[in-house]
Amino acid sequence: MPKLYYNFKKVIIIFTFIFQIIIYNPLVYPDAISEIRKKNEIVFGIKDNLVPFGFINKTDKKTRKLEGYDIDFANEIANKLNLKAVFKPVNSSNRIPLLLKKDVDILICTMTITEKRKEEIDFSHQYFVSKQKFLVHKETVRELKDIDGKIIVTSKGSTAETNTKKFLPKAKVLGLEDYSQAAHALYLEKVFAITTDESVLVGLLANMKGKSDFEIINFDISSEPYGIGVRKNSDDLLKLINDTLEEMERTGKAKEIFDKWFGPTSSVPLTRDFKIEPAKLGSSKN
């Protein structure tokens, strides 16, 4: 009996010691989902001015509802957690800092997965893949060299900015926060081209003044896999996101959302030539 008692006491001491290590060790991170649940809501960093990924529907002036491809994916994740989705606008420059400061819980904002960004945050599987192309005045560009040396505008802090400087070293690359500003500058012929992902350019062109005078040229300089971003060591949250994405792919929900925003009857018709899976990086090309 005494031996059993001392063995039991020893087990209790060991468990107490382990518990103290878990609680007080600063290198052990709290459960990310539990931290989110304490707020009774989940905050997504999104774009709110980028058709058709995230934008305010201005047709209903009373509600000014936020909708789009990214918004639909965010709502699926919020539903899986049974939490209210809250949306906070971000841009390409401030989105990662806002995530790291815990101003947002998840980033779902047309963010390309890159090795450099993976040093700061963790990414989900790819949930969209686009190609970086150029929007120009019609019949001004036949090949890539026709753009080099010109003034090109793109989103500040984006991979498109980095790719353009790499593949068009003689071009003057301007970074803006808002693509509507870029479209206006192109319309006024203040810049020669806008470059970003084809999916964004198609939406931009669909809403441009004098859109029949412009075109998206048929060659590209990179392939851009979009991922959903979370803070490092948020393994439980990342697993839930990936499980949700895989389920959406398996059940056809992901394709249904794609067809809603990019199908043949949409204002931004594209072909879904990708599937939800771990991203393959290093696909940039000249």
Side-chain angles (χ1 to χ4, degrees):
M1 184 71 177
K3 186 176 180 181
L4 181 62
Y5 171 79
Y6 285 116
N7 284 341
F8 179 76
K9 188 175 180 180
K10 187 177 180 181
V11 170
I12 293 296
I13 292 171
I14 292 171
F15 271 102
T16 302
F17 177 72
I18 293 172
F19 178 77
Q20 288 175 336
I21 290 176
I22 292 172
I23 293 298
Y24 296 109
N25 188 346
L27 297 179
V28 176
Y29 289 80
D31 179 90
I33 293 177
S34 293
E35 289 295 302
I36 292 170
R37 287 195 186 282
K38 290 176 183 178
K39 303 181 297 181
N40 292 317
E41 63 183 26
I42 182 165
V43 183
F44 293 92
I46 52 88
K47 300 271 182 81
D48 67 348
N49 60 355
L50 195 57
V51 179
F53 288 96
F55 63 100
I56 294 176
N57 187 337
K58 297 178 181 178
T59 57
D60 189 338
K61 295 182 180 180
K62 291 183 179 179
T63 62
R64 291 177 62 80
K65 183 181 178 184
L66 186 65
E67 51 187 47
Y69 185 86
D70 283 355
I71 308 305
D72 286 351
F73 272 82
N75 281 323
E76 289 290 325
I77 294 167
N79 289 339
K80 186 66 84 172
L81 287 165
N82 196 27
L83 289 173
K84 176 186 177 184
V86 174
F87 300 105
K88 182 167 185 172
V90 300
N91 58 48
S92 296
S93 299
N94 70 12
R95 55 192 174 188
I96 290 180
L98 288 174
L99 178 68
L100 297 179
K101 289 195 310 183
K102 298 188 177 182
D103 286 351
V104 298
D105 300 310
I106 294 175
L107 291 174
I108 180 162
C109 48
T110 65
M111 183 164 54
T112 302
I113 304 168
T114 67
E115 293 295 352
K116 184 177 180 180
R117 287 174 180 161
K118 285 170 69 175
E119 293 174 4
E120 294 187 88
I121 66 174
D122 286 336
F123 283 97
S124 71
H125 299 335
Q126 64 185 28
Y127 71 101
F128 191 91
V129 178
S130 188
K131 296 180 175 119
Q132 184 180 338
K133 293 192 174 185
F134 297 83
L135 176 61
V136 297
H137 284 267
K138 279 186 175 178
E139 299 180 359
T140 58
V141 175
R142 290 187 178 180
E143 50 189 332
L144 192 61
K145 68 178 184 180
D146 295 333
I147 306 174
D148 208 6
K150 304 294 196 301
I151 300 175
I152 304 170
V153 65
T154 189
S155 179
K156 187 177 181 181
S158 65
T159 53
E161 184 179 31
T162 303
N163 290 337
T164 307
K165 289 176 179 178
K166 177 182 178 181
F167 294 122
L168 299 169
K170 296 178 183 178
K172 182 177 181 180
V173 184
L174 303 179
L176 294 178
E177 301 290 2
D178 190 338
Y179 279 115
S180 61
Q181 297 175 359
H184 188 60
L186 181 63
Y187 176 77
L188 295 177
E189 299 186 28
K190 300 291 186 182
V191 300
F192 185 80
I194 301 171
T195 185
T196 187
D197 303 339
E198 180 185 22
S199 51
V200 175
L201 290 178
V202 172
L204 194 62
L205 178 59
N207 292 281
M208 274 187 70
K209 184 178 179 181
K211 62 183 180 181
S212 60
D213 296 328
F214 301 90
E215 65 180 349
I216 299 169
I217 51 183
N218 59 12
F219 55 80
D220 61 85
I221 60 173
S222 74
S223 180
E224 307 291 320
Y226 294 173
I228 298 170
V230 299
R231 286 183 289 276
K232 288 284 188 182
N233 302 294
S234 302
D235 295 350
D236 59 327
L237 181 58
L238 187 62
K239 183 179 186 307
L240 180 136
I241 292 170
N242 281 333
D243 287 349
T244 303
L245 293 177
E246 289 171 5
E247 181 182 340
M248 292 172 68
E249 181 74 17
R250 188 171 59 253
T251 62
K253 183 66 178 179
K255 184 178 184 303
E256 179 185 320
I257 293 173
F258 180 91
D259 290 342
K260 175 182 174 183
W261 297 108
F262 299 101
T265 60
S266 71
S267 61
V268 190
L270 291 175
T271 300
R272 190 177 192 261
D273 55 0
F274 66 91
K275 65 179 181 179
I276 290 174
E277 62 183 353
K280 299 177 179 66
L281 305 186
S283 55
S284 294
K285 57 178 181 285
N286 203 331

